[in-house]
Amino acid sequence: MATLFAGGCRTFIKDAPEGRWIGAEPGGSLTLNRTVPMPQGRTRIFLVNGKARRNGASYQTSCALEVRQIERDRDRKLAPGRYRITRIQQYWTEVAAVGPDRVRFRFAGHGDGGDGQSMIQTGYRFYLAGDNPDLWRLTCLGVLADPPWADPPSLAEIQAALGPVATLDIRPQGDPGPG
């Protein structure tokens, strides 16, 4: 769904679940409004409904702040600041089912007679550059669903996942936006 224009690649994202598609390209920003804790041994922390969690959510939009290197000896804190979006990529992932004694990929439909479809989440990856070179990207995914019904999150759903912790502005710098 990325389209090539004379000025580079533009990805289209809905502004709201039933809203209009708008173009997004590098140049926007992610602003961390507060410190986000990152436990040792982790390279990402999820945000769901404005709260930091160790895991994402399959039933609603979640976003993950991802760092480049793992800290094995100590917790780290992602400091507030503004990060420029250098690239936007559409993304999807197959999701594993986790049970008390196993992890397996859902290669068969869930409860629908095993039609062979895997369950997926679709969304976007926003690659970042800023004062903290270790903060690598923000990945936001929509609801887990069979492929025909898997929709990427809208900007409104992404902002709901980020809550007061962070603000995503996809307008490229110099773009005054609609008006």
Side-chain angles (χ1 to χ4, degrees):
M1 187 125 77
T3 305
L4 183 64
F5 289 95
C9 285
R10 181 178 282 197
T11 300
F12 289 89
I13 303 174
K14 278 193 173 182
D15 60 355
E18 300 300 323
R20 64 187 173 94
W21 291 96
I22 57 175
E25 56 190 47
S29 65
L30 173 75
T31 303
L32 289 182
N33 300 317
R34 56 180 67 159
T35 300
V36 178
M38 174 84 63
Q40 75 181 44
R42 306 283 301 191
T43 57
R44 63 184 169 185
I45 190 78
F46 291 91
L47 297 172
V48 180
N49 289 332
K51 304 235 186 292
R53 300 175 19 165
R54 293 180 68 89
N55 300 322
S58 60
Y59 55 90
Q60 68 188 83
T61 297
S62 63
C63 294
L65 290 166
E66 300 174 80
V67 295
R68 293 180 191 278
Q69 295 184 356
I70 195 165
E71 285 285 349
R72 298 205 185 275
D73 312 4
R74 63 181 174 91
D75 292 347
R76 77 171 83 190
K77 296 183 187 312
L78 301 175
R82 186 174 178 170
Y83 298 86
R84 186 173 48 85
I85 297 170
T86 60
R87 180 168 58 129
I88 303 171
Q89 175 186 31
Q90 286 190 299
Y91 179 74
W92 68 273
T93 185
E94 291 180 316
V95 178
V98 179
D101 59 348
R102 69 190 184 286
V103 174
R104 65 179 171 82
F105 284 99
R106 292 185 182 220
F107 288 119
H110 66 292
D112 61 356
D115 63 6
Q117 288 185 341
S118 43
M119 303 270 305
I120 66 171
Q121 286 179 287
T122 61
Y124 306 98
R125 284 188 159 163
F126 302 91
Y127 290 82
L128 306 170
D131 290 338
N132 179 353
D134 196 34
L135 185 54
W136 181 31
R137 68 183 176 205
L138 173 73
T139 299
C140 296
L141 297 172
V143 174
L144 177 66
D146 287 323
W149 296 281
D151 288 325
S154 68
L155 289 173
E157 291 165 322
I158 290 171
Q159 194 55 59
L162 298 174
V165 174
T167 305
L168 182 67
D169 180 1
I170 64 153
R171 282 185 309 195
Q173 293 176 356
D175 180 358

